[in-house]
């Protein structure tokens, strides 16, 4: 896949804002590429102060490509966060925010890529995986998929109700949780990875997303469990 | 256009002068790579210089470690927006690699190649004159695998995706051939001071 067209900045209006968890808000932005991006891709957002000072950050697209004319971003409020703090407490519906995209050509899954599809997400790292699951439902429901999702607590799970409903209603989709701060909770370890691989079978594609330490640990566990390196794609949010 | 209500948390003036546009300073050392960290055995490690498909010279780890060593200290800039100041690297400059092979660069362009099948293109002019090295030490210790060890290319004046991790060769090419990210919309050259992140920037 070759993408050599220029990416230009556009002013995107915030069409809707919804709370997702105590620290995560969902934003719908009006953009001209809502139908033509691939699940897993992200956008760059650029904020400008009155004196011209600018801050840029990347945010994954949570929605699947569709005809709505909007994309959804889910932004977690980090303590002292310069850009996430703006989105947590300043941004309002109707604001116009500069962004450009879609960006990224490696951490992507389209319905044409076969399954089984293994998704491993930590915290807000579930966002691009959600886009893949939404797209799978719309475009490739026969592809078997499993999401292994690590969050601190049930209430900090992003899109919990949606994910649980998908696990209940969509044949071929399995949700496995690793809630690290619930009583008896534990991190993703080799036993969880083996259980996921046992339930899914050998994945054709594995996508791992989250903080740096999460992605390093989870992708090492996948290698230890025998998943070939060429199958695994990673996206690191920082931290 | 100013963003309504955004004031920003400005870094001090001395920091701002060292930050290319759109970058922010981090004290950590974040990781950018497209897949898992490959497992590389020094006993079988090799670095190979090629002119197109033709090998010019290949080094084992011991032979490579015996080449003249150079240190470099300075700032690095990742296209995912972080910059890190005063990083310290040690390795073998591309000039010294070419000298040991007894060849002059046969073309004006090169592709760096990695153990993870990653490639990235850099003009030879940006690799020569002490501007690039194959680094084997970071901050006085072997480079950790997550940061590209045992050996990574270091071209610090370009965005850091050009500094291929787990590098195992340099291939000279007749034309400027796009590498992995360059085929996926990232800039062919990648100068952070001109903010050349993507095609058309
Ligand atoms: C490709 C990509 C996709 C991303 N997608 C999303 C997404 O969908 N949703 C989302 O909420 N974020 C996402 N991020 C992270 C996002 O780009 C910002 O890094 C994050 O919002 C913090 O920016 P800030 O300006 O609020 O914090 P800063 O002011 O830059 O930092 C505030 C504090 O938080 C720490 N910090 C910064 N970033 C992180 C991090 N990611 N994790 C933990 N600590 C951090 C800093 O070290 C500092 O101490 C993505 C990042 C990348 C590279």
């Amino acid at each position: 896949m070759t993408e050599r067209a220029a990416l230009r900045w556009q002013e995107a209006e915030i069409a809707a804002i919804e709370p997702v968890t105590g620290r995560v808000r969902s934003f719908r932005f009006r953009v001209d590429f809502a139908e033509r991006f691939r699940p897993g891709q992200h956008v760059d957002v650029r904020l400008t102060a009155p004196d011209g000072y600018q801050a840029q950050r990347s945010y994954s697209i949570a929605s699947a490509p569709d005809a709505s004319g909007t994309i959804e971003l889910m932004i977690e409020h980090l303590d002292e966060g310069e850009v996430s703090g703006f989105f947590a407490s300043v941004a309002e519906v109707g604001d116009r925010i500069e962004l450009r995209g879609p960006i990224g050509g490696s951490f992507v899954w389209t319905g044409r890529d076969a399954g089984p599809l293994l998704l491993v997400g930590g915290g807000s790292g579930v966002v691009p995986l959600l886009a893949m699951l939404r797209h799978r439902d719309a475009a490739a429901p026969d592809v078997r998929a499993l999401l292994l999702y690590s969050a601190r607590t049930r209430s900090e799970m992003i899109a919990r109700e949606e994910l649980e409903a998908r696990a209940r209603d969509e044949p071929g989709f399995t949700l496995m949780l690793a809630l690290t701060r619930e009583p008896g909770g534990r991190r993703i370890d080799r036993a969880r990875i083996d259980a996921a691989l046992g339930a899914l079978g050998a994945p054709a594609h594995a996508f791992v997303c989250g903080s740096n330490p999460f992605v390093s640990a989870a992708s090492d566990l996948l290698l230890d469990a025998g998943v070939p390196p060429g199958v695994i794609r990673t996206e690191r949010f920082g931290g | 256009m100013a963003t309504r209500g955004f004031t920003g948390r400005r870094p001090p003036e001395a920091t701002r002068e060292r930050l290319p546009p759109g970058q922010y300073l981090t004290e950590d050392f974040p990781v950018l790579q497209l897949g898992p960290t490959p497992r590389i055995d020094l006993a079988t490690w090799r670095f190979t210089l090629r002119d197109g498909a033709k090998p010019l010279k290949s080094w084992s780890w011991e032979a490579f470690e015996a080449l003249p060593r150079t240190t470099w200290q300075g700032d690095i800039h990742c296209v995912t927006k972080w910059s890190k100041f005063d990083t310290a690297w040690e390795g073998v400059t591309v000039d010294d690699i070419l000298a040991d092979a007894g060849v002059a660069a046969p073309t004006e362009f090169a592709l760096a190649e990695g153990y993870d099948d990653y490639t990235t293109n850099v003009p030879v002019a940006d690799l020569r004159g002490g501007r690039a090295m194959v680094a084997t030490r970071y901050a006085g210790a072997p480079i950790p695998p997550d940061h590209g060890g045992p050996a990574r290319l270091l071209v610090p004046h370009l965005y850091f995706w050009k500094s291929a991790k787990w590098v195992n060769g340099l291939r000279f090419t007749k034309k400027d051939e796009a590498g992995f990210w360059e085929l996926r919309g990232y800039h062919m050259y990648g100068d952070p001071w001109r903010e050349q992140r993507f095609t058309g920037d």
Side-chain angles (χ1 to χ4, degrees):
Chain A
M1 168 68 68
T2 305
E3 286 168 21
R4 302 297 296 281
L7 276 177
R8 51 173 198 83
W9 291 99
Q10 53 187 276
E11 277 189 23
E13 188 193 293
I14 300 179
I17 303 178
E18 301 281 346
V20 178
T21 70
R23 297 185 72 80
V24 180
R25 290 171 103 193
S26 148
F27 297 83
R28 284 254 161 213
F29 286 89
R30 271 186 231 293
V31 297
D32 64 11
F33 56 85
E35 262 178 305
R36 42 170 193 87
F37 67 90
R38 287 174 292 152
Q41 289 188 298
H42 66 272
V43 298
D44 278 359
V45 170
R46 179 163 78 179
L47 307 182
T48 305
D51 66 351
Y53 167 79
Q54 293 184 324
Q56 281 188 38
R57 297 291 184 275
S58 301
Y59 292 100
S60 300
I61 304 174
S63 48
D66 62 25
S68 67
T70 65
I71 55 165
E72 181 180 27
L73 305 185
M74 290 179 170
I75 302 182
E76 176 180 18
H77 184 196
L78 296 182
D79 295 334
E80 315 292 321
E82 181 176 25
V83 173
S84 66
F86 168 86
F87 281 104
S89 48
V90 180
E92 287 173 7
V93 170
D95 281 347
R96 300 174 71 80
I97 305 288
E98 267 189 304
L99 62 74
R100 63 174 178 170
I103 299 167
S106 165
F107 195 85
V108 292
W109 182 81
T110 69
R112 271 168 282 126
D113 304 324
L117 175 62
L118 175 62
L119 309 175
V120 184
S124 57
V126 77
V127 171
L129 310 180
L130 192 58
M132 293 179 192
L133 286 174
R134 289 169 167 181
H135 184 64
R136 169 192 170 275
D137 180 32
D142 296 336
V143 171
R144 295 196 321 110
L146 185 145
L147 170 63
L148 178 52
Y149 180 16
S150 175
R152 280 193 284 252
T153 61
R154 267 178 77 73
S155 64
E156 285 182 67
M157 280 177 64
I158 288 173
R160 176 169 60 85
E161 286 179 13
E162 174 182 337
L163 289 171
E164 288 176 346
R166 289 189 185 280
R168 198 173 52 237
D169 303 337
E170 294 175 12
F173 170 56
T174 307
L175 176 64
M176 283 179 61
L177 300 178
L179 301 174
T180 57
R181 307 231 177 129
E182 294 284 5
R186 61 186 225 235
R187 289 165 175 268
I188 290 180
D189 55 14
R190 180 63 195 277
R192 294 312 292 274
I193 293 283
D194 285 345
L197 292 171
L200 184 70
H205 302 278
F207 293 91
V208 183
C209 185
S211 67
N212 259 320
F214 177 85
V215 170
S216 293
S219 50
D220 275 345
L221 287 167
L222 289 175
L223 290 177
D224 290 342
V227 177
V231 162
I232 307 170
R233 286 282 174 269
T234 57
E235 185 89 286
R236 296 162 185 261
F237 280 6
Chain B
M1 173 206 68
T3 312
R4 185 194 64 78
F6 178 70
T7 47
R9 185 193 55 214
R10 251 144 269 260
E13 189 56 36
T15 303
R16 282 176 79 177
E17 281 172 7
R18 283 169 74 178
L19 280 178
Q23 296 292 109
Y24 65 90
L25 179 62
T26 179
E27 302 296 328
D28 322 326
F29 195 163
V31 176
L32 173 72
Q33 59 199 49
L34 52 112
T37 297
R39 295 169 177 184
I40 300 166
D41 183 0
L42 288 184
T44 55
W45 183 91
R46 298 208 66 89
F47 182 85
T48 306
L49 212 54
R50 290 189 178 80
D51 180 4
K54 186 175 102 225
L56 297 173
K57 178 152 182 168
S58 182
W59 292 261
S60 68
W61 183 255
E62 288 70 33
F64 198 81
E65 286 280 274
L67 296 180
R69 310 193 59 79
T70 300
T71 57
W72 179 87
Q73 186 157 346
D75 306 345
I76 56 177
H77 311 291
C78 178
V79 72
T80 64
K81 320 279 157 42
W82 56 265
S83 293
K84 188 171 171 62
F85 289 171
D86 302 316
T87 62
W89 302 85
E90 185 185 313
V92 184
T93 62
V94 174
D95 304 299
D96 285 332
I97 294 172
L98 286 166
D100 191 65
V103 298
T107 68
E108 283 172 40
F109 301 100
L111 274 173
E113 302 174 314
Y115 270 94
D116 57 343
D117 295 332
Y118 180 79
T119 56
T120 187
N121 57 316
V122 185
V124 167
D126 290 83
L127 296 173
R128 300 288 317 275
R131 303 178 84 195
M133 66 163 72
V134 172
T136 55
R137 296 178 79 76
Y138 171 72
I143 303 174
D146 266 359
H147 292 305
R152 78 178 296 162
L153 189 66
L154 180 71
V155 197
H157 63 285
L158 301 179
Y159 280 123
F160 220 44
W161 90 78
K162 296 288 185 180
S163 293
K165 290 180 171 186
W166 314 301
V167 72
N168 63 7
L170 263 185
R171 178 190 297 275
F172 293 99
T173 58
K174 290 210 166 52
K175 302 181 295 150
D176 192 9
E177 287 180 26
F180 183 87
W181 289 117
E182 294 82 10
L183 280 170
R184 290 162 176 79
Y186 285 73
H187 200 275
M188 285 295 274
Y189 184 64
D191 179 354
W193 293 98
R194 287 184 279 166
E195 207 175 358
Q196 293 172 335
R197 298 179 194 277
F198 307 111
T199 307
D201 280 355

